[in-house]
Amino acid sequence: MNPSLKGIIPPIITPLINEEELDESGLARLIEYLISGGVHGIFLLGTTGEATSLSYSLRREFVEKACAFINKRVPVMVGVTDTSAAGLLEMAHVSKNAGADALVISSPYYLPISQNEFVDFLKNISPKLPLPFLLYNMPSCTKMHMSVETVRQAKELGAIGIKDSSGDLAYFYSLLDEFKDETDFAVICGTELFLPESVNFGGSGGITGGANIFPRLFVDMYKASLDGDLNKVARLRDIVIQIEKKIYNISADSSRYIESIKCALSVLGICSGYVAQPFSGFEEAQKQQMQVNIKELAEMYPELNEEISMLNSIT
């Protein structure tokens, strides 16, 4: 049976102590925080999870421990995209054995790949996958923007949905239109501000990195969109815009999104802010700025203050 692909599914960060050591207690706290916030699923080893920067042994350990902590309370998806089919299939079986519910697959990165070559790749690997798979359109990292026709062919090969992180709203609308009558195929946005549009036009929800920091905020925005509560959606969207300004843009580095989320979680006392090479975490001045900005956000928006206060009940 295919897992439910609806609602808010955070692409969680990978809490680290160093290059080869998980922050296990931080991972446990993060998972409890997300589930307490009402998320509908959890995505491991996505872009926000720094999958491509981690050793295979660390990826395996992370998937196994995360699945054990989650313990079937919500569906789990695991990103298994790799530069080789063998690496992808190895992690797919690790995920299955750990208790995950679905896989997430993008086009192999580094070397350019055409639409036809990607479809042929899926034809070869899809019969070997031990779990259902979801597509991940991330052209900024993979060099290929999946066409609607490619997505259609992937569905015919067994894909159960797509996460679109292209940031192209016209393209996202074209996906929603293409699959609007097909309840067995989920169209999920990766761009946080697209969440209301995703829900309003038949999308299944969002795989939103900001839900690592404020899970309930994004769950509430998803529910308000479902309910057609436009006033609440507008207010919550304003908060997301302020998060963009005050959390994601402290640094000018191209890796600032991951660094920002990890730093914010460290400031909140959830887990370590260590960032895997080739990137590095924030300098002390940036950490202090993050602390100030989070405090300002909590003072501006009671919703965020209440959510942060929820951390006191998580051990």
Side-chain angles (χ1 to χ4, degrees):
M1 182 179 295
N2 290 342
S4 173
L5 295 178
K6 285 186 178 295
I8 299 299
I9 306 170
I12 72 169
I13 59 106
T14 302
L16 300 170
I17 293 173
N18 54 49
E19 293 298 310
E20 286 295 336
E21 188 176 0
L22 284 176
D23 175 8
E24 288 188 45
S25 59
L27 174 60
R29 280 193 298 274
L30 176 59
I31 287 170
E32 292 310 312
Y33 180 51
L34 298 179
I35 292 177
S36 297
V39 302
H40 304 89
I42 290 177
F43 175 22
L44 310 176
L45 294 181
T47 307
T48 310
E50 303 172 275
T52 56
S53 298
L54 307 178
S55 68
Y56 286 104
S57 61
L58 192 56
R59 294 184 214 183
R60 287 194 294 271
E61 182 184 2
F62 174 62
V63 169
E64 289 166 357
K65 288 182 175 171
C67 286
F69 288 143
I70 295 165
N71 195 26
K72 296 293 183 181
R73 288 177 287 173
V74 294
V76 176
M77 304 186 299
V78 182
V80 295
T81 301
D82 206 298
T83 52
S84 74
L88 185 157
L89 290 171
E90 179 181 348
M91 281 306 302
H93 285 280
V94 166
S95 303
K96 164 71 173 177
N97 293 337
D101 300 283
L103 309 171
V104 183
I105 297 175
S106 190
S107 54
Y109 48 91
Y110 186 73
L111 292 175
I113 187 170
S114 70
Q115 304 285 333
N116 289 338
E117 287 170 325
F118 179 58
V119 171
D120 286 342
F121 175 71
L122 290 178
K123 287 178 181 176
N124 288 326
I125 66 163
S126 58
K128 304 171 187 175
L129 296 175
L131 291 169
F133 74 97
L134 178 83
L135 294 173
Y136 182 8
N137 186 43
M138 186 62 160
S140 63
C141 293
T142 64
K143 300 186 178 70
M144 192 195 81
H145 195 328
M146 296 179 192
S147 69
V148 174
E149 177 56 30
T150 291
V151 178
R152 166 59 64 188
Q153 291 182 70
K155 181 182 183 299
E156 293 169 359
L157 293 169
I160 60 173
I162 181 171
K163 175 198 176 185
D164 175 45
S165 291
S166 67
D168 182 342
L169 186 56
Y171 169 78
F172 187 69
Y173 280 151
S174 70
L175 288 175
L176 292 173
D177 183 67
E178 176 72 18
F179 298 102
K180 63 179 181 287
D181 297 322
E182 300 178 49
T183 57
D184 60 342
F185 191 83
V187 178
I188 305 175
C189 68
T191 305
E192 294 175 0
L193 288 173
F194 288 4
L195 179 60
E197 285 73 18
S198 170
V199 176
N200 292 340
F201 290 93
S204 298
I207 297 178
T208 50
N212 279 275
I213 312 169
F214 298 117
R216 185 172 291 172
L217 168 68
F218 287 91
V219 169
D220 286 350
M221 188 156 73
Y222 170 72
K223 290 178 178 176
S225 300
L226 279 178
D227 295 341
D229 188 340
L230 299 183
N231 290 331
K232 187 171 184 178
V233 167
R235 175 176 172 78
L236 298 180
R237 190 199 290 268
D238 284 344
I239 299 176
V240 173
I241 291 171
Q242 290 303 315
I243 290 171
E244 172 81 24
K245 293 177 180 178
K246 290 184 172 292
I247 291 183
Y248 302 154
N249 284 301
I250 289 176
S251 167
D253 293 341
S254 58
S255 57
R256 63 185 179 273
Y257 183 70
I258 294 169
E259 293 176 353
S260 297
I261 292 174
K262 284 200 150 182
C263 181
L265 291 173
S266 176
V267 165
L268 291 172
I270 296 175
C271 62
S272 164
Y274 186 91
V275 178
Q277 295 183 30
F279 307 113
S280 58
F282 281 175
E283 301 291 335
E284 188 58 35
Q286 294 170 313
K287 293 177 184 176
Q288 291 177 7
Q289 187 63 59
M290 179 68 76
Q291 195 158 17
V292 169
N293 289 3
I294 288 178
K295 183 178 179 182
E296 287 181 356
L297 285 168
E299 290 172 349
M300 290 168 60
Y301 301 107
E303 297 94 333
L304 299 187
N305 187 53
E306 180 181 341
E307 186 157 13
I308 291 171
S309 297
M310 184 176 68
L311 285 167
N312 294 328
S313 64
I314 295 172
T315 57

